């Protein structure tokens, strides 16, 4: 999806964990490892965006992990509670544009990946063990930090 605002866009990142491994994709443009994710569209909330982006990019249906909640979410005519992100960060995309990213965790029901949308195809998709994350090239420190935390939280 194109940028919605010229200065700052809101995005989601989802760290999927399956049997002690976390899923990362090689970004075709930036040549770095990233989790599935993308822009929050105008007609959706962040939870919906996270679920949609994972489905579009890797073909897996997920439920977001709500590690902080101890009771069901409230959903009624007046309001709807959302699962909160584990982290929120802001990072530059270029000299004039930034992303505020809401970082979610989810348990994957499978490790079978299907690249659903042609524009979302990636040159590389890999399930990383915790030990592999410390030695992998082309991974930003924040991505490594969040991936390691997701594995610990959901293992």
């Amino acid at each position: 999806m194109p940028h919605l605002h010229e200065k700052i866009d809101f995005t989601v990142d989802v760290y999927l964990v399956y049997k002690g491994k976390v899923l990362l994709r090689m970004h075709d443009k930036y040549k770095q490892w990233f989790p599935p994710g993308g822009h929050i569209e105008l007609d959706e909330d962040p939870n919906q965006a996270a679920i949609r982006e994972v489905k579009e990019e890797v073909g897996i249906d997920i439920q977001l992990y709500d590690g902080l909640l101890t009771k069901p979410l409230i959903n009624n005519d007046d309001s709807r509670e959302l699962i909160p992100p584990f982290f929120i960060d802001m990072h530059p995309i270029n000299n004039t544009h930034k992303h505020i990213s809401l970082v979610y965790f989810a348990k994957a029901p499978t490790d079978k990946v299907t690249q659903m949308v042609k524009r979302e195809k990636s040159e590389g998709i890999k399930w990383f063990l915790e030990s592999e994350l410390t030695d992998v090239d082309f991974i930003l420190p924040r991505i490594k930090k969040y991936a390691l935390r997701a594995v610990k939280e959901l293992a």
Side-chain angles (χ1 to χ4, degrees), residues 7 20 23 30 37 54-55 62 83 93 111 120 128 130 136:
K7 293 185 179 185
L23 183 70
Y30 299 112
V54 170
K55 181 68 173 181
I62 61 158
I83 294 171
I93 299 303
D111 62 350
E120 300 295 348
F128 287 90
E130 183 178 355
V136 68

Side-chain angles (χ1 to χ4, degrees), residues 14-21 54 60-66 86 104-111 127 150-155:
V14 183
Y15 289 83
L16 295 174
V17 176
Y18 181 79
K19 295 186 177 180
K21 296 185 238 179
V54 170
I60 298 176
D61 291 309
I62 61 158
Q63 288 186 338
L64 297 176
Y65 179 66
D66 65 359
F86 273 77
Y104 293 96
F105 296 166
K107 281 189 178 181
T110 180
D111 62 350
W127 290 96
V151 170
K152 284 186 170 108
E153 188 77 29
L154 299 176

Side-chain angles (χ1 to χ4, degrees), residues 77-96:
D77 292 338
D78 294 338
S79 64
R80 193 170 127 220
E81 271 188 285
L82 299 175
I83 294 171
F86 273 77
F87 298 96
I88 300 174
D89 72 45
M90 185 163 64
H91 53 273
I93 299 303
N94 57 43
N95 291 337
T96 61

Side-chain angles (χ1 to χ4, degrees), residues 8-9 12 20 25 31-32 41 44 59-60 64-66 73-74 76 81 85 99 106 108 115 120 127 138 152:
I8 295 175
D9 279 327
V12 293
R25 301 173 66 241
K31 303 302 182 201
Q32 295 277 339
E41 296 183 4
E44 65 188 355
I60 298 176
L64 297 176
Y65 179 66
D66 65 359
L73 296 173
I74 296 170
N76 58 40
E81 271 188 285
H99 282 176
Q115 295 186 64
E120 300 295 348
W127 290 96
F138 309 109
K152 284 186 170 108

Side-chain angles (χ1 to χ4, degrees), residues 28-46:
D28 294 336
K29 181 177 176 182
Y30 299 112
K31 303 302 182 201
Q32 295 277 339
W33 288 103
F34 290 103
H39 289 86
I40 300 170
E41 296 183 4
L42 291 175
D43 64 345
E44 65 188 355
D45 66 48

Side-chain angles (χ1 to χ4, degrees), residues 106-145:
K107 281 189 178 181
T110 180
D111 62 350
K112 305 294 183 243
V113 173
T114 306
Q115 295 186 64
M116 303 293 286
V117 179
K118 186 175 182 179
R119 69 177 171 79
E120 300 295 348
K121 292 199 185 273
S122 175
E123 293 177 11
I125 296 177
K126 179 175 169 46
W127 290 96
F128 287 90
L129 290 167
E130 183 178 355
S131 60
E132 294 174 308
L133 288 169
T134 56
D135 295 329
V136 68
D137 291 328
F138 309 109
I139 186 167
L140 299 169
R142 68 182 163 82
I143 303 298
K144 187 181 296 186
K145 172 187 172 179

